[in-house]
Amino acid sequence: MQDLTMQLRDTARSLLRDGKVGLVIGYEHGSVLLRTKPCFVRNADDTDRLVWSPLCENNIASYLLSIKGRTAVFVKGCDARALLCAISEGQIRREDVTIVAMPCEGVLDRRKLAERLQGRQISGGTVQDGKVTVVGQGFSESYPLSELLPVGCVHCTHRTAPVFDIRIGDAAPEIEAIDDYADVKAFEALSPDEKRAYFRQELASCIRCFACRQACPLCYCVECFVDQTQPTWYHKTGDLSDTLLYHVVRALHLAGRCVGCGACSRACPMGIDLTVLNRRLLRDVQELYNYVSGLDPEAAPLLSAASPDDPQEFIK
Amino acid sequence: MTIVDQQTSTREIETPPESDWEPRIVAFICSWCSYTGADLAGTAGAQYPPNVRLIRVPCAGRLDLLFVLESLQRGIDGVLVVGCPPDHCHYGEGNLLAQRRFRLLKGLLEHVGVEPGRLHFSWVGASEGPKFARVASEVVESVRSLGPSRTLVRGMYAASRSALVE
């Protein structure tokens, strides 16, 4: 991992020094233990701030939407796919971005770690060689990273960028299990009453901060439908119906675009598992239209293409 | 049938009759072939239940999925979307675009608890008056058998929420 960080810094330094890019986006250590934050480097002398580890959890593709000029970005597989999706939608110009593919073994799910810690405070922690090691007063424990992965990483099918300009490290090992959407199928089998009850319970804690929308690299509308007032689709009430409406529409607006990175769920301060909605659409999109987003920057977006061969079993 | 403003048409049916419940269904119908087909059903004297309210849209592709969600929030029990048959779209492929979007919406709404029998999609051509009458009747029966809508309806979650807090 140290090695990757060194290679990353070298790459960033030479890209900036040679004037190939004006800006590098990566990650640096955060002010909180076991956290990183996005890092923006414009000067070749500052590249030592950059780091690479399974703590690099934000989907940094989102920053490219608001940045002009040539930029290099150090990406995990999911970041790259979101970026390629935004390119295919005409939001980012491919020639402006230098995609540096990094190997990814999944990111650390802070909530799963917190469950293991059961309220104990940690004073230090590292993630290295697939092991998460934490130390605190009177304890030192180590867990396999594979047990502390968020939903998005558990089901990840593309760990390294499918399209890139530079690759650092080896390509991540192939994923043995192809995503079979067993979780989606299990949820689908519930009765409508059970599904309603689940969302009633799950969304009751939603405070509508829209962090899920902000964290998503593909939620880039200049004016979100929740902010529109003429007409008002989304009402600022305490009614759970409006919360559900928001979450349904958020997921729908990502249909055929979502890459399943799970940035929305990780951003949620209330710990709501939003992937339940997103993964249903991922499954449908793949099963009905044989479409996987974010693999080809030239591909037409799913919902702006039509085909007479689409399944029509639901049509009267 | 006159074209009514969407706001008025949904507001008018906002208060549900508590006793002897009748399903209320909104049909978003393309003004080219499908509306002509529905008109033909009328002129031909074909019978279909009056529970279906038509909202004419310039093309099925004009259907914003928020229309469907807004209808459900306001207590509509079922939604029918009617487009021109494939190859008959006045704008080329608006109907096919609508079909994809609708299929994904239907799946997602079923995932949050909307019964499969509440959301329907149909192709109706300009000469298919009887088909429109048949589809409308089928939709009404399908929704009737499910009873009043309980997902997304505004106000419906209020009681349960306070129960959860306790």
Side-chain angles (χ1 to χ4, degrees), chain A residues 188 190-192 195-196 280 314 316, chain B residues 77-79 102 106-107 109-111 113-121 142-143 146 151:
Chain A
E188 207 181 2
L190 299 176
S191 72
K195 290 175 186 167
R196 262 195 299 274
R280 163 73 192 219
F314 66 100
K316 284 186 179 292
Chain B
D77 301 300
V79 174
F102 182 86
K106 185 171 159 67
L109 284 179
E110 286 170 19
H111 214 61
V114 174
E115 294 85 351
R118 291 197 195 277
L119 302 172
H120 300 269
F121 194 103
S142 156
V143 175
L146 293 169
T151 316

Side-chain angles (χ1 to χ4, degrees), chain A residues 1-238:
Chain A
M1 209 47 71
Q2 282 301 316
D3 190 35
L4 288 172
T5 298
M6 289 305 155
Q7 290 183 48
L8 182 153
R9 288 174 183 169
D10 287 344
T11 310
R13 200 173 299 124
S14 60
L15 283 169
L16 284 167
R17 194 167 285 157
D18 301 347
K20 290 213 174 89
V21 297
L23 171 69
V24 164
I25 309 179
Y27 303 85
E28 65 184 318
H29 286 301
S31 45
V32 178
L33 273 177
L34 291 176
R35 295 293 301 270
T36 62
K37 59 185 182 187
C39 175
F40 301 82
V41 181
R42 291 179 190 277
N43 188 332
D45 299 333
D46 290 341
T47 47
D48 285 347
R49 279 160 59 199
L50 294 163
V51 294
W52 187 260
S53 77
L55 301 175
C56 301
E57 63 161 56
N58 299 58
N59 193 325
I60 50 172
S62 47
Y63 297 109
L64 286 161
L65 294 159
S66 50
I67 286 169
K68 298 266 178 294
R70 287 173 176 268
T71 307
V73 60
F74 290 88
V75 287
K76 307 183 286 291
C78 50
D79 305 340
R81 287 179 59 202
L83 175 57
L84 294 171
C85 185
I87 291 173
S88 76
E89 289 168 0
Q91 297 299 318
I92 300 168
R93 294 196 311 176
R94 176 70 184 88
E95 58 270 28
D96 284 350
V97 192
T98 303
I99 303 174
V100 188
M102 299 297 293
C104 175
E105 45 182 323
V107 299
L108 174 69
D109 188 332
R110 300 191 309 278
R111 292 207 174 79
K112 285 190 179 164
L113 179 64
E115 274 170 31
R116 296 289 178 99
L117 291 171
Q118 296 176 316
R120 291 173 297 172
Q121 293 293 317
I122 56 168
S123 56
T126 51
V127 185
Q128 217 157 10
D129 305 324
K131 276 215 174 310
V132 185
T133 312
V134 288
V135 287
Q137 204 155 28
F139 73 96
S140 165
E141 283 173 18
S142 175
Y143 318 103
L145 176 63
S146 57
E147 288 174 16
L148 299 178
L149 295 179
V151 182
C153 298
V154 170
H155 299 288
C156 178
T157 50
H158 295 81
R159 293 196 188 185
T160 26
V163 175
F164 54 84
D165 302 301
I166 301 170
R167 184 160 79 196
I168 291 183
D170 302 325
E174 286 296 314
I175 313 287
E176 310 81 48
I178 296 163
D179 195 347
D180 58 358
Y181 293 104
D183 53 333
V184 177
K185 284 178 196 146
F187 192 87
E188 207 181 2
L190 299 176
S191 72
D193 281 335
E194 289 169 318
K195 290 175 186 167
R196 262 195 299 274
Y198 172 84
F199 282 104
R200 181 175 289 171
Q201 173 102 34
E202 188 78 7
L203 296 182
S205 57
C206 175
I207 54 173
R208 305 200 204 172
C209 62
F210 304 126
C212 42
R213 176 189 77 182
Q214 296 309 118
C216 179
L218 292 170
C219 254
Y220 54 65
C221 288
V222 175
E223 188 181 26
C224 179
F225 85 100
V226 299
D227 300 322
Q228 288 176 346
T229 50
Q230 297 233 326
T232 306
W233 297 112
Y234 164 82
H235 295 262
K236 290 148 188 81
T237 64

Side-chain angles (χ1 to χ4, degrees), chain B residues 14-25:
Chain B
E14 209 160 15
T15 40
E18 285 301 326
S19 58
D20 61 341
W21 172 81
E22 276 289 318
R24 289 161 303 159
I25 287 142

Side-chain angles (χ1 to χ4, degrees), chain A residues 196 238-239 241 302 310 316, chain B residues 73 100 113 121 151-152 155 161:
Chain A
R196 262 195 299 274
D239 197 324
S241 150
L302 177 76
D310 284 348
K316 284 186 179 292
Chain B
Q73 270 202 315
R100 264 193 186 182
F121 194 103
T151 316
L152 263 171
R161 188 172 200 183

Side-chain angles (χ1 to χ4, degrees), chain B residues 14-147:
Chain B
E14 209 160 15
T15 40
E18 285 301 326
S19 58
D20 61 341
W21 172 81
E22 276 289 318
R24 289 161 303 159
I25 287 142
V26 162
F28 295 98
I29 182 163
C30 167
S31 67
W32 293 95
C33 314
S34 314
Y35 193 83
T36 315
D39 209 19
L40 181 65
T43 47
Q47 293 294 310
Y48 67 90
N51 309 54
V52 183
R53 272 78 162 178
L54 301 191
I55 295 179
R56 204 156 118 165
V57 283
C59 172
R62 167 64 182 93
L63 183 81
D64 190 322
L65 300 178
L66 282 161
F67 296 175
V68 176
L69 294 161
E70 174 86 17
S71 308
L72 291 172
Q73 270 202 315
R74 290 185 184 218
I76 289 297
D77 301 300
V79 174
L80 168 66
V81 177
V82 196
C84 306
D87 299 335
H88 287 63
C89 180
H90 184 76
Y91 305 101
E93 49 185 31
N95 51 357
L96 295 178
L97 291 169
Q99 167 214 301
R100 264 193 186 182
R101 284 206 297 268
F102 182 86
R103 178 63 187 81
L104 294 172
L105 169 76
K106 185 171 159 67
L108 191 65
L109 284 179
E110 286 170 19
H111 214 61
V112 300
V114 174
E115 294 85 351
R118 291 197 195 277
L119 302 172
H120 300 269
F121 194 103
S122 179
W123 304 132
V124 171
S127 59
E128 296 182 309
K131 179 176 178 185
F132 178 78
R134 176 175 62 76
V135 167
S137 313
E138 280 174 19
V139 170
V140 171
E141 281 327 300
S142 156
V143 175
R144 192 189 297 280
S145 69
L146 293 169

